[in-house]
Amino acid sequence: MPGCAKAVSWREICTDKLDMPSNARLDASPLPHKPSMKSRLLVGSLGVLTMPCQLYKFLTMLWQRFGGYVPMTLLVYGLNQGVAIPYANMARRVLFADVMKLDGATAGRYVAAAAFPWSIKPIFGMLSDAVPIFGYHRTSYIVIAGICGLVAWTSLGLLPLAGSAIVPFLLLANISVCVPDIMIDAKTAELSKAAPEHAPGLQGLSWGAFGIGGLVTCSTAGLLVDILGPRTLFLLINVCSLGVVVPGLLGWLGECHVPLGQRKPNLEWLRKHAIVSLLAAFMSVAAAMLMVLQLTVESQVLRGVATVSFAMLLLIGIFVVLRRVSDVLAKTAAFIFARECLQPAFGEAMFQWLKNCPDGPQFIPTVLSWIDCFGSLGLLLGVTIYNKYLSEVPYRRIFLGAQLAMVISSLLDFVLVKRWNLAIGIPDIVMLIGDDAFSSTMRKFVMIPMFILASKVCPQSIEATLFAMLMALSNFGGTVGDFFGVSMLEAFGVVHGDFENLADVVLAKSLCRFLPMVLVPFLVPNLRPTDSILIDGEAGSVQGAKSDGNLEAGNEDEPGGEGPDSNPEAGDED
């Protein structure tokens, strides 16, 4: 277990470049001859057979170097995110549709409101840096979040909650996932700085745990909810929260204890970067007010007007404030937020149509869960294709191409709802699998360059805070998009189990997805992901500089400790 070295704050996640050790360089000498196909197949087969042994050696090496941090990370990302999120999403949807009898619009409104914690991630990070609880900056927050999860899952499983009374417990459930993610990111950054030669392994640990957990649960979530029911599945998810509470209490994170006399709140950084701090506070207040309005206002028109007003106000505030830091940062932040806002989503309504509508496919949860596995495979395919073929494509071209593909994906939903696929002999399940995998692949084509662009436009000394804020803006934009989707469903009358106009809503959603394409030439720099972005002085002029590295090589402005931390609801395609 590592000693109590100087802690690296959550705000310093993106600060330093992680250098490759000299002994890790590969021999560039050419092979004497090209291996035959038989030899390559043999080597590939041996690689597959030895993967368990390699994984064991990898985990053992990290365990010997970093101690309890390793199983703690596996539990946070693999169990508390990779397992809890898919199980909770499936249980929640079935609970809303079959037990509480909520229509898709109302269910979507509740889910979007409960996603509030993902929109204020910078606040959680700043709070943990400034205020230690019981002498710990990270561990105590993880334990408290885990307890929130225990309260949430137990209440969702046992209490006869009705209407909006379920939202506070869904909010606690999101806190139980969101906060440990932030704390582990900060610890990963600290260890990466202390042992930069292990930084790639530490990142692979979190992403690998998250991916494996997700693939396992997407194949079993529907089956479990069919057998046990949604409330029992909620109770089972308590195991995931216990998986972070118990190791936290046992001190697995290896965090140094702050002496009693040094536990005063540290507000120096907040004063030094008052603009960024105020923007984070402003964004949090806007998200909170929008959530309250969506839950308390009955008028559909007033809710829609409030959503548009808050989105416009926040967009203007983001651009004006961040332009004082740099022009390219302000434009990038505006694009990240506006792109998500302009893509209305209504996954809850589509789930109910796929499951319960007499004119729909009427899939059982087990089938829908298996279809989600193809979406997960589509995400992996997207990463592979992007890294191999698209890492040199300019930002504008990749965003335009991927957005156009998202329009096509949405139109496939239109074909499915209109039942035209049956007329040409394509079964519903084949249509849905293809659509899910295709849309997931396209989302990855947007996410990877978006992460790279966001990391490169952040100026020095406040990289981590601004990067996290940009990701929070993406989450908040997704929440606004969910509220827009709810307003569209209500405007077209797709409420109370009436799906007659669902095809019209899907078509309107498809047309809305053209709108982010209009913003690309004005807000996205005309550079490639492998180009450096140089910010000159306070004016924030931008210059592109060629880079010899690729996506895996990394550069000094890319994040050093970001795990799979995006809002699981915001990216939920319908």
Side-chain angles (χ1 to χ4, degrees):
M1 179 176 292
C4 293
K6 180 182 177 181
V8 177
S9 74
W10 171 86
R11 296 184 298 268
E12 296 177 305
I13 288 177
C14 307
T15 302
D16 291 343
K17 180 177 178 180
L18 303 177
D19 297 320
M20 179 181 291
S22 58
N23 60 1
R25 297 184 183 127
L26 299 178
D27 186 1
S29 58
L31 293 173
H33 60 84
K34 183 178 180 180
S36 65
M37 178 61 70
K38 183 177 180 180
S39 299
R40 282 182 284 177
L41 288 175
L42 178 60
V43 171
S45 301
L46 292 174
V48 172
L49 292 175
T50 58
M51 279 182 64
C53 294
Q54 295 172 0
L55 178 60
Y56 175 77
K57 290 180 179 179
F58 171 72
L59 294 177
T60 301
M61 179 269 294
L62 291 181
W63 166 264
Q64 292 173 348
R65 180 64 178 84
F66 301 109
Y69 160 84
V70 175
M72 188 75 178
T73 300
L74 292 175
L75 290 170
V76 167
Y77 285 125
L79 188 65
N80 200 45
Q81 286 196 43
V83 173
I85 289 175
Y87 280 174
N89 286 345
M90 181 60 69
R92 184 202 69 233
R93 286 178 162 176
V94 175
L95 181 72
F96 281 168
D98 297 346
V99 180
M100 300 179 66
K101 305 297 182 183
L102 298 177
D103 60 46
T106 303
R109 187 155 50 95
Y110 291 169
V111 170
F116 167 71
W118 294 95
S119 301
I120 61 169
K121 288 186 66 176
I123 296 296
F124 287 126
M126 293 177 184
L127 189 63
S128 69
D129 281 344
V131 183
I133 299 179
F134 300 118
Y136 294 99
H137 284 279
R138 315 292 178 213
T139 303
S140 296
Y141 286 87
I142 291 176
V143 172
I144 293 172
I147 293 173
C148 289
L150 293 173
V151 173
W153 306 129
T154 302
S155 301
L156 290 169
L158 296 179
L159 298 182
L161 301 169
S164 60
I166 198 172
V167 174
F169 299 101
L170 293 176
L171 191 145
L172 287 176
N174 275 310
I175 289 176
S176 74
V177 178
C178 174
V179 172
D181 171 271
I182 299 170
M183 301 305 128
I184 292 296
D185 276 353
K187 186 64 177 180
T188 300
E190 176 185 334
L191 297 179
S192 296
K193 290 174 181 292
E197 69 277 10
H198 291 293
L202 295 175
Q203 290 300 303
L205 180 70
S206 58
W207 282 99
F210 179 74
I212 293 173
L215 284 174
V216 171
T217 52
C218 73
S219 61
T220 58
L223 180 63
L224 287 176
V225 82
D226 278 333
I227 296 174
L228 303 175
R231 294 192 185 277
T232 303
L233 185 54
F234 276 131
L235 293 175
L236 289 178
I237 302 176
N238 275 307
V239 175
C240 301
S241 293
L242 285 173
V244 298
V245 171
V246 174
L249 292 174
L250 294 177
W252 285 13
L253 197 59
E255 183 182 4
C256 296
H257 187 262
V258 179
L260 186 61
Q262 302 177 13
R263 297 180 189 177
K264 295 180 179 180
N266 180 12
L267 304 179
E268 180 181 354
W269 189 93
L270 301 180
R271 298 190 191 99
K272 183 178 179 181
H273 302 286
I275 293 178
V276 177
S277 303
L278 289 175
L279 180 59
F282 173 65
M283 183 173 68
S284 302
V285 171
M289 293 181 65
L290 184 59
M291 176 189 69
V292 172
L293 282 172
Q294 290 288 336
L295 294 177
T296 58
V297 175
E298 294 295 331
S299 171
Q300 300 174 3
V301 175
L302 188 56
R303 286 203 306 269
V305 171
T307 301
V308 174
S309 301
F310 272 96
M312 291 298 297
L313 183 63
L314 184 58
L315 182 62
I316 294 172
I318 291 167
F319 189 80
V320 171
V321 173
L322 291 183
R323 197 171 187 181
R324 299 179 63 180
V325 180
S326 80
D327 188 63
V328 66
L329 173 62
K331 290 182 178 180
T332 300
F335 176 73
I336 289 174
F337 179 69
R339 179 189 173 274
E340 297 294 339
C341 289
L342 294 173
Q343 300 189 92
F346 35 84
E348 301 296 320
M350 283 297 296
F351 177 85
Q352 293 188 14
W353 180 81
L354 290 168
K355 182 178 180 297
N356 295 335
C357 181
D359 298 327
Q362 295 185 303
F363 290 134
I364 61 174
T366 300
V367 175
L368 292 172
S369 177
W370 273 100
I371 291 173
D372 286 342
C373 291
F374 289 91
S376 299
L377 293 175
L379 290 175
L380 297 176
L381 180 63
V383 173
T384 303
I385 294 176
Y386 180 86
N387 287 341
K388 190 170 182 64
Y389 301 108
L390 303 177
S391 59
E392 292 285 339
V393 177
Y395 291 115
R396 291 182 179 179
R397 189 179 301 175
I398 193 69
F399 288 148
L400 288 171
Q403 195 62 38
L404 182 60
M406 295 298 291
V407 175
I408 296 173
S409 173
S410 188
L411 290 174
L412 292 177
D413 288 339
F414 178 75
V415 172
L416 181 65
V417 173
K418 294 290 286 186
R419 319 301 285 142
W420 290 349
N421 59 295
L422 298 179
I424 58 177
I426 301 178
D428 288 328
I429 191 167
V430 174
M431 186 75 178
L432 196 57
I433 287 174
D435 181 24
D436 202 44
F438 178 73
S439 62
S440 297
T441 303
M442 293 304 105
R443 284 204 304 274
K444 212 63 178 178
F445 286 170
V446 174
M447 288 169 58
I448 296 176
M450 187 76 77
F451 285 151
I452 297 173
L453 177 60
S455 66
K456 289 187 175 183
V457 298
C458 297
Q460 292 183 357
S461 79
I462 51 174
E463 296 98 330
T465 298
L466 284 176
F467 182 84
M469 189 175 296
L470 292 177
M471 295 302 100
L473 281 173
S474 177
N475 293 334
F476 189 24
T479 299
V480 172
D482 291 340
F483 286 137
F484 279 146
V486 169
S487 296
M488 289 175 62
L489 290 171
E490 293 174 339
F492 282 87
V494 184
V495 293
H496 307 306
D498 183 1
F499 296 101
E500 182 178 354
N501 296 325
L502 180 60
D504 297 332
V505 182
V506 173
L507 182 60
K509 180 191 74 172
S510 303
L511 296 177
C512 287
R513 286 189 167 178
F514 278 110
L515 297 177
M517 300 176 67
V518 180
L519 303 177
V520 171
F522 302 100
L523 299 179
V524 177
N526 190 23
L527 298 171
R528 301 181 304 170
T530 50
D531 294 337
S532 299
I533 296 179
L534 308 179
I535 302 175
D536 291 339
E538 296 180 357
S541 60
V542 182
Q543 303 174 13
K546 283 285 185 180
S547 171
D548 295 329
N550 53 29
L551 183 59
E552 285 76 16
N555 64 64
E556 62 184 1
D557 288 326
E558 291 183 12
E562 289 296 325
D565 60 347
S566 59
N567 174 12
E569 301 298 339
D572 188 18
E573 294 297 328
D574 18 284

